[in-house]
Amino acid sequence: MLQACLNGNASGAGVPVTPAALAADAAVARDLGVRHLHVHPRDADGAETLQQGPTDAAIAACRKAAPDMSVGIGTGTWIAPGPKGRMDDLAGWRSPPDYVSVNLNEPDAPEVMALTTRCGIGVEAGIWSDADAARFCALDLPPQTRILIEMPDAGDVDLEIDRIRARLSTAGRTEAVLLHGEGVSAWPCLRRAAQEGLSSRIGFEDCDHLPDGTPAGDNASLISAAAQIFRDAGRPLA
């Protein structure tokens, strides 16, 4: 499966911020064969937010533009107004996403996962390191929507990926895995995912350049390049 991560906390030309811009890029991703989205709603000033109004508007716009796509959002603790406010915001959504990503390196990750599960929202468990994987495996958690193995903007991440996957396997965690990187690790992680039968994602949240290093003008060019890598490996996009 290939997921389109349209904006994150990125900024600049081509990065969708408003509900209308997110919806337009969602429609493009759909036309390219992708059926899964990950977006970060923004407020009127362009800052990331989990507040009900902007979040509901972003999700509703994406669903209207691409009704057969699943829509997920990030819940990072850096998003205003922070951990306590985050829990209040999540509980107040009226147009909830299909799933949220929750980072295991954040102290209140179990509480956020429990709240969203009670609300009927799926969870992508974000694991950035072997320490995160150890914490995840030690928690008494039901099966998650998927596990995100997330690698930083670094050139050599294969050893950490191997450690994480080994720990998950030893613990008997059988959830689907989505492997992705950031910056220089984005395309190597995507290629490895395609070769090893894992899911991955691409978009301005993760990188702003194409596989050959040239700048990407829009999400469409990033998604097109990723889709070709998946097809060349015989992998489905949906």
Side-chain angles (χ1 to χ4, degrees):
M1 176 268 280
L2 183 63
Q3 184 184 80
C5 54
L6 300 180
N7 60 348
N9 63 4
S11 60
V15 178
V17 173
T18 66
L22 287 168
D25 276 15
V28 169
R30 182 194 180 282
D31 290 344
L32 291 169
V34 174
R35 292 295 181 270
H36 299 267
L37 290 175
H38 176 86
V39 302
H40 285 228
R42 307 288 186 95
D43 63 19
D45 296 322
E48 292 178 84
T49 181
L50 295 173
Q51 293 181 341
Q52 178 193 340
T55 299
D56 287 352
I59 294 170
C62 289
R63 284 184 171 147
K64 182 177 180 180
D68 56 347
M69 296 185 79
S70 61
V71 183
I73 67 173
T75 64
T77 190
W78 66 87
I79 301 174
K84 176 60 171 68
R86 169 173 66 168
M87 297 290 282
D88 293 339
D89 285 344
L90 268 62
W93 291 337
R94 296 294 177 267
S95 178
D98 296 294
Y99 51 86
V100 296
S101 60
V102 181
N103 299 313
L104 267 294
N105 58 9
E106 296 174 354
D108 63 344
E111 290 76 20
V112 175
M113 297 166 84
L115 173 61
T116 53
T117 298
R118 288 197 302 271
C119 294
I121 301 169
V123 174
E124 296 180 316
I127 294 175
W128 289 86
S129 66
D130 183 47
D132 289 350
R135 183 189 188 199
F136 176 75
C137 293
L139 294 170
D140 184 18
L141 296 171
Q144 307 300 301
T145 300
R146 64 185 64 90
I147 294 171
L148 307 185
I149 297 179
E150 311 185 80
M151 290 292 102
D153 187 356
D156 186 7
V157 295
D158 285 321
L159 183 59
E160 190 69 0
I161 294 169
D162 291 341
R163 289 194 187 104
I164 292 169
R165 294 191 69 189
R167 187 176 294 275
L168 294 172
S169 177
T170 299
R173 301 302 306 208
T174 59
E175 291 95 334
V177 169
L178 187 156
L179 168 64
H180 78 92
E182 290 185 347
V184 299
S185 71
W187 290 109
C189 282
L190 188 139
R191 290 191 187 95
R192 177 168 174 170
Q195 293 165 0
E196 296 185 7
L198 306 177
S199 296
S200 193
R201 75 180 203 185
I202 203 66
F204 275 130
E205 177 170 355
D206 288 348
C207 72
D208 60 2
H209 61 277
L210 298 172
D212 63 2
T214 59
D218 49 32
N219 274 311
S221 60
L222 292 167
I223 296 167
S224 293
Q228 189 59 55
I229 291 171
F230 261 54
R231 292 190 181 102
D232 288 346
R235 297 290 318 289
L237 302 184

